[in-house]
Every structure is written in C-alpha cells, then in structure tokens.
Amino acid sequence: MDFQRKTTGESATNNIEFAQATTRKPLELLRDTEALLRRPTVATLMPILPPKLGNRLQELQEVAEDSLTDLALIDLEKISDWEMRSPRIRLGLSFVGFGALMVVVLLLYLNTLHPELSTVEQIRQYWYQYVWFVNLGVAGMFMLGREAMRPRK
C-alpha cells in the first residue's frame, strides 16, 4: 500500500487573499455596536408602548444617537495621563464609598430582619456578600493608593 500523498497541482489554499482589517477607533465601534442593538429594540418596543412613552423613547434614542456621535469624535490618543487623574480618583472613591455603604446596608438588613442570628451566624450565612463589598472597597483603596504614588509631571 502506498500511503504517500501525491499532489497533482497547485492547491487552492495558496491563492486565498484575506480581507484587510480596517482600523477603527474603539469609540466608533462602541457607537456602531450600541446602535445595532438599540435601533431594533426601539423599533420593536415602539408599537407596544403607549404613545406618550413611545414619543419619549424616540426622543431618548435621538439623544443617544447624538451623544454617541459626539463621543466617537474623541481621539483617545490625545487624552493625557494628567487629564485622567481626576476620573481615576473619583472612581476609586466611588468603589470605597459604595463598598462601605453596602456593608452598612447589609449590617442594617441583618440586624433588623434577622435579629435572632448571632454575629457569627450572620457572617457564616452572608459571608459571600461581606467578601464582595469589602473587596470592592479594597479595590478602591488600591486605585487611590496607585494615584497617590503616581509621579507628578
């Protein structure tokens, strides 16, 4: 038996031309992707909704279209590290604040709706939520610490 493969000519794989990828900005991709999801959704909901709510939804769609078009014009390469400092600090503070707020809400929930449980039983039963909220606060603290250690220019 002959197991050697015999080629009789040029294979078709040698002639394949691949399409060139177009380089689009991330914000343009966001705008286009969001529009592809939003437009059919709005078109589906418009006949179902009451006229007043449908008109409001149509207005919101126009605002979203305008906002995302303006957003797509932003060149991310021109935004400096210094300009991003304030948003990073705010995001870190938001993480810390939200984590702390949710721990307090969880404690309030446990003390008002489950007063029969001891502290150890509460932690045993709701440890997953404690871990999430504490880790959210810790992540915010890391973000703030990173900003504090970032060199000023």
Side-chain angles (χ1 to χ4, degrees), residues 118-129:
S118 70
T119 305
V120 174
E121 290 172 337
Q122 288 175 352
I123 292 174
R124 185 179 302 132
Q125 190 170 358
Y126 292 95
W127 69 271
Y128 195 77
Q129 288 83 0

Side-chain angles (χ1 to χ4, degrees), residues 4-17:
Q4 294 295 326
R5 184 174 174 187
K6 296 178 183 177
T7 58
T8 57
E10 189 176 318
S11 67
T13 57
N14 294 341
N15 296 331
I16 294 176
E17 293 182 20

Side-chain angles (χ1 to χ4, degrees), residues 103-122:
V103 167
V104 170
V105 168
L106 181 62
L107 290 174
L108 182 65
Y109 167 79
L110 291 174
N111 287 331
T112 55
L113 297 178
H114 298 290
E116 71 279 356
L117 298 176
S118 70
T119 305
V120 174
E121 290 172 337
Q122 288 175 352

Side-chain angles (χ1 to χ4, degrees), residues 28-81:
E28 289 177 358
L29 287 172
L30 173 71
R31 176 196 61 198
D32 297 341
T33 305
E34 192 274 340
L36 285 173
L37 294 172
R38 177 178 29 86
R39 289 177 187 143
T41 304
V42 171
T44 304
L45 290 176
M46 287 295 287
I48 303 170
L49 295 174
K52 187 176 181 180
L53 192 57
N55 292 337
R56 182 72 177 140
L57 184 64
Q58 187 67 31
E59 291 172 12
L60 289 174
Q61 180 176 352
E62 292 169 7
V63 169
E65 194 77 37
D66 294 339
S67 299
L68 288 169
T69 302
D70 292 343
L71 187 66
L73 297 175
I74 297 173
D75 187 13
L76 294 177
E77 300 298 323
K78 292 183 180 178
I79 298 175
S80 69
D81 192 45

Side-chain angles (χ1 to χ4, degrees), residues 94-108 133 136-137:
S94 297
F95 275 31
V96 171
F98 185 75
L101 177 68
M102 292 312 295
V103 167
V104 170
V105 168
L106 181 62
L107 290 174
L108 182 65
F133 300 144
L136 191 63

